[in-house]
Amino acid sequence: MAPAAAQAADAVQCELDRPMRFGGMNWESNLVLVEVERFIVEHGYGCDSEVLPTETLPALAALERGDLDINTEVWLNSVLEPWNQAEATGKVKRIGDIYMGGEAWFIPKYTAERLPDLKKAADLPKYWEDFKDPEMPSKGRFYGCPAGWGCEIVSTNLFKALGLGDTFTLFSPGTGATQKAALTAAYNRGENIVFYYWYPTPVVGSMDLVKLELPPYDADKQKCLTDPDCTDPQASDYPENPVFTAVSAGFIEAAPKLTEFLSKVSVPLDDMGAAMAYMDEHEAEPDETADWFLKNKQDVWTQWLPADVSERVKAAL
């Protein structure tokens, strides 16, 4: 009689007769979740897979065409109109909510302790000297969003809406890596910094941060804040940002069991933050971080799977 493990492997046959095609976005949480899902589909469902490097809008078009099976992380607020149009075709479907992502203006906890009355972003002009820009010491420095990213438009309009231009420079790093390096270096030196960031990310996961209060979220104000030609920006907090899994309609038809698994993928923000912190601290690659997640967060991912699939994945770790 064959060993139990061999029997289990023989019993698993992938619903697809080709590799499963994942969209590989260029931010850390997506790269890690894709590797977690790939490990599960390989060892739990007997499937091959591949990652096709892409970006948000091209990935959406590829899902519609059926060239891509799954986009693990769609950030709704970043692609609201294109997503609504794609969904209306019936060729793509939102199948599961991963977590509620967010965006905020942050200061380190040590800065909050030094400046206990600094609670609101609108109060920053009073404290500009505590955030001196090394290249323009007559002003403070606010670290905005990387140049050319969608969040740069909102950062810039919010900066204007709060009237910070007289006392602060708006520093837009050239790339995400430049932004991360500048913030990490300043934080490690214990310098006062104020900056925009999104989460879950290694930066927010690994630093002890405090959010600055912004005025309550207002949909109309937010609409203007997202417009590069907004003539009279008004301050509003960032909306919550649903992050969900999308798949092509053809994939749902061909692989109902895989679709059911993917529809259940949901990660508590604290657990995703812990994975991001591990990635940062150990300078780990996405697959190494996925391995850490699978070994250390079994209470999370086993809820996504039938018991037999879960046991096969555990046996492969």
Side-chain angles (χ1 to χ4, degrees), residues 138-297:
S138 62
K139 289 188 175 185
R141 174 181 283 190
F142 176 78
Y143 289 87
C145 183
W149 289 22
C151 53
E152 187 192 16
I153 297 164
V154 180
S155 274
T156 303
N157 280 330
L158 204 43
F159 186 86
K160 285 179 195 165
L162 291 164
L164 298 181
D166 292 338
T167 49
F168 276 79
T169 60
L170 176 57
F171 182 78
S172 294
T175 65
T178 308
Q179 182 193 33
K180 182 181 172 184
L183 295 172
T184 304
Y187 182 88
N188 290 339
R189 290 193 295 264
E191 292 172 8
N192 292 328
I193 41 174
V194 55
F195 60 96
Y196 160 86
Y197 225 81
W198 68 101
Y199 54 89
T201 45
V203 165
V204 176
S206 62
M207 293 180 184
D208 201 353
L209 302 172
V210 174
K211 287 182 191 178
L212 288 179
E213 290 172 33
L214 288 160
Y217 171 69
D218 180 298
D220 289 335
K221 290 176 181 174
Q222 174 67 15
K223 195 171 181 185
C224 200
L225 289 172
T226 61
D227 181 356
D229 301 319
C230 178
T231 53
D232 181 27
Q234 303 290 317
S236 160
D237 202 353
Y238 289 92
E240 289 192 306
N241 203 336
V243 182
F244 61 88
T245 297
V247 294
S248 72
F251 176 78
I252 293 173
E253 207 174 306
K257 287 180 185 169
L258 289 170
T259 301
E260 190 182 354
F261 147 55
L262 293 167
S263 73
K264 291 180 179 173
V265 175
S266 173
V267 186
L269 266 184
D270 285 351
D271 290 317
M272 200 66 216
M276 296 290 91
Y278 174 86
M279 188 179 201
D280 193 64
E281 196 179 319
H282 297 271
E283 297 182 355
E285 292 297 322
D287 59 336
E288 295 166 336
T289 309
D291 187 58
W292 176 89
F293 180 89
L294 287 161
K295 286 173 178 166
N296 290 277
K297 301 293 177 184

Side-chain angles (χ1 to χ4, degrees), residues 80-159:
L80 187 57
E81 283 311 307
W83 170 257
N84 288 342
Q85 290 166 16
E87 196 175 32
T89 66
K91 295 176 181 174
V92 300
K93 192 166 181 205
R94 173 178 178 166
I95 58 165
D97 293 328
I98 303 272
Y99 40 64
M100 192 64 78
E103 300 168 273
W105 284 19
F106 292 104
I107 54 175
K109 189 179 178 189
Y110 59 71
T111 298
E113 287 165 355
R114 289 171 192 162
L115 308 171
D117 293 330
L118 174 54
K119 308 280 190 197
K120 299 177 178 176
D123 293 332
L124 282 168
K126 297 181 213 165
Y127 297 95
W128 72 266
E129 290 185 73
D130 294 290
F131 300 95
K132 274 190 186 171
D133 187 327
E135 290 166 25
M136 194 182 288
S138 62
K139 289 188 175 185
R141 174 181 283 190
F142 176 78
Y143 289 87
C145 183
W149 289 22
C151 53
E152 187 192 16
I153 297 164
V154 180
S155 274
T156 303
N157 280 330
L158 204 43
F159 186 86

